Amino acid sequence: MPIRIPAELPARKTLVNENIFVMDENRASVQNVRPLHILIVNLMPTKIETETQFCRLLGNSPLQVIPEFLTMSSRTSSHVDASHLANFYHTFDEVRDRKFDGMIITGAPVEMMEFEEVDYWQELCEIMEWSKTNVYSTLHICWGAQAALYYHYGVKKHLLNQKLFGVFRHRVVHKGSILFRGFDDQFDVPHSRHTTVSREDIMAIPGIKILADSDVAGVYAASDKGGRKIFLMGHAEYDLYTLRNEYMRDKNKGLDIQVPYRYFPNDDDTQEPVSSWRSCAHLLFANWLNYFVYQSTPYDINDISQADNTNDGLCIE
């Protein structure tokens, strides 16, 4: 189950230590398979941490996966060295003539702003429009999901009275969803956001189905009929300490931040948090790569724009 990444990428050492199957380019070159090319639009300030989180999940797949990272040319990142971006990231101009089997648009800490106020909004809109013909299936995560619902369907986000922060219990509501094949009836996902999208607005979109939700956190997953556009409102990719790091950062700044819900034992932030979402996260990404990318994308990646997803993508039958 290999993921193929550059030897110098900081995530590599972490993944090898976790026994994730990482393949170097020499070994990959002798395998007679076509690797899956996944473009990750990394909008998070914690670039290296986010790279590791997604590479960890993409490494749990049956074929070669080549993740490539995209940075916004319309915004200069201040949280990572310019050399890291130069070595491991593309700009949109560098990939606009290429095709990708899959794409991930991450969350971003800009949800309190109107979409049009975000300095890279126009560039992101161009990328989302480009994805219709150059990417087979796109995962939109948290703010990335809200941004895509707004861009593609005009769905507005709404400010919450209190930050949705912690680990929440969810259920699969579309029982035929192969994105959630193998899931238990209930599963956990972390959330960390100040805004939401209403269930009624999503249900009003023709061709979009809600796949999973939560009594507390609201809609978690929705998708179009073929799985070309998938929207995930939470952060299944978060590692064990991501919520703790966010909490301690804000607490140390003296901000009004509540203890993450269902995260620390007895809500005691001096205790070690316990992961209850790791297995679900791996299964979610394995299902996406298998059913919505590998099983569906054309062998000739250049045929993506003409491809028609003939199986439902949501239903088992």
Side-chain angles (χ1 to χ4, degrees):
M1 298 181 181
I3 184 169
R4 179 175 157 187
I5 58 178
E8 299 82 9
L9 189 73
R12 182 184 178 87
K13 182 177 180 180
T14 301
L15 298 175
V16 170
N17 289 338
E18 294 178 1
N19 204 29
I20 301 294
F21 192 170
V22 177
M23 179 178 290
D24 61 39
E25 294 183 355
N26 290 332
R27 182 173 181 182
S29 65
V30 301
Q31 289 199 332
N32 189 24
V33 297
R34 182 178 82 72
L36 301 176
H37 291 263
I38 307 297
L39 184 65
I40 301 176
V41 183
N42 190 355
L43 304 176
M44 294 292 285
T46 52
K47 291 283 189 287
I48 293 175
E49 179 182 353
T50 302
E51 294 159 12
T52 304
Q53 290 170 353
F54 283 109
C55 285
R56 178 185 292 123
L57 296 175
L58 293 173
N60 191 27
S61 59
L63 295 174
Q64 284 188 35
V65 176
I66 302 179
E68 300 184 54
F69 299 99
L70 186 73
T71 186
M72 296 288 104
S73 59
S74 48
R75 187 178 193 278
T76 301
S77 178
S78 59
H79 293 82
V80 66
D81 289 341
S83 61
H84 182 82
L85 297 178
N87 288 332
F88 301 114
Y89 279 73
H90 301 294
T91 64
F92 182 50
D93 283 341
E94 292 172 336
V95 303
R96 67 168 66 245
D97 293 330
R98 295 177 54 191
K99 311 287 185 182
F100 289 87
D101 299 289
M103 182 168 73
I104 298 170
I105 300 178
T106 73
V110 294
E111 56 186 321
M112 303 294 283
M113 303 169 62
E114 295 296 330
F115 291 117
E116 291 84 359
E117 294 175 355
V118 176
D119 51 11
Y120 52 78
W121 176 246
Q122 290 304 317
E123 183 177 7
L124 184 59
C125 288
E126 190 176 358
I127 291 169
M128 290 189 288
E129 185 65 28
W130 167 87
S131 72
K132 295 178 181 179
T133 54
N134 288 64
V135 179
Y136 196 78
S137 179
T138 300
L139 281 183
H140 308 84
I141 310 292
C142 197
W143 182 84
Q146 295 180 6
L149 286 167
Y150 179 70
Y151 173 75
H152 291 296
Y153 305 108
V155 174
K156 295 182 178 180
K157 58 185 173 71
H158 304 282
L159 186 66
L160 294 166
N161 294 327
Q162 186 180 46
K163 182 178 182 180
L164 189 70
F165 189 44
V167 181
F168 297 87
R169 184 62 50 85
H170 300 71
R171 59 180 172 265
V172 178
V173 295
H174 185 62
K175 297 299 184 181
S177 168
I178 59 175
L179 182 63
F180 289 94
R181 177 177 281 175
F183 270 63
D184 293 325
D185 292 336
Q186 297 184 335
F187 61 96
D188 287 348
V189 178
H191 289 258
S192 178
R193 52 188 168 91
H194 293 274
T195 55
T196 192
V197 177
S198 76
R199 176 190 307 273
E200 292 74 21
D201 287 346
I202 295 176
M203 292 178 65
I205 305 172
I208 297 293
K209 285 187 177 179
I210 295 173
L211 308 182
D213 68 5
S214 164
D215 288 336
V216 180
V219 173
Y220 168 58
S223 174
D224 65 5
K225 181 178 174 63
R228 301 292 293 270
K229 293 191 288 290
I230 298 172
F231 311 95
L232 302 175
M233 305 300 172
H235 287 282
E237 79 280 2
Y238 272 9
D239 59 34
L240 177 60
Y241 297 113
T242 306
L243 290 176
R244 187 183 72 175
N245 292 342
E246 292 183 14
Y247 169 72
M248 296 306 297
R249 176 200 64 199
D250 290 350
K251 182 180 179 181
N252 291 336
K253 289 180 179 179
L255 301 177
D256 182 18
I257 181 68
Q258 71 269 24
V259 174
Y261 179 71
R262 295 182 63 245
Y263 179 60
F264 292 112
N266 304 314
D267 288 338
D268 182 353
D269 64 14
T270 66
Q271 295 193 40
E272 186 79 357
V274 177
S275 172
S276 60
W277 65 91
R278 185 181 298 117
S279 60
C280 297
H282 280 279
L283 182 55
L284 177 72
F285 275 74
N287 283 349
W288 175 62
L289 283 175
N290 182 24
Y291 298 119
F292 298 95
V293 182
Y294 171 63
Q295 300 286 352
S296 301
T297 191
Y299 183 82
D300 185 347
I301 199 170
N302 293 309
D303 291 339
I304 283 178
S305 57
Q306 287 79 41
D308 178 24
N309 195 343
T310 55
N311 74 33
D312 189 317
L314 294 178
C315 297
I316 293 176
E317 297 178 352

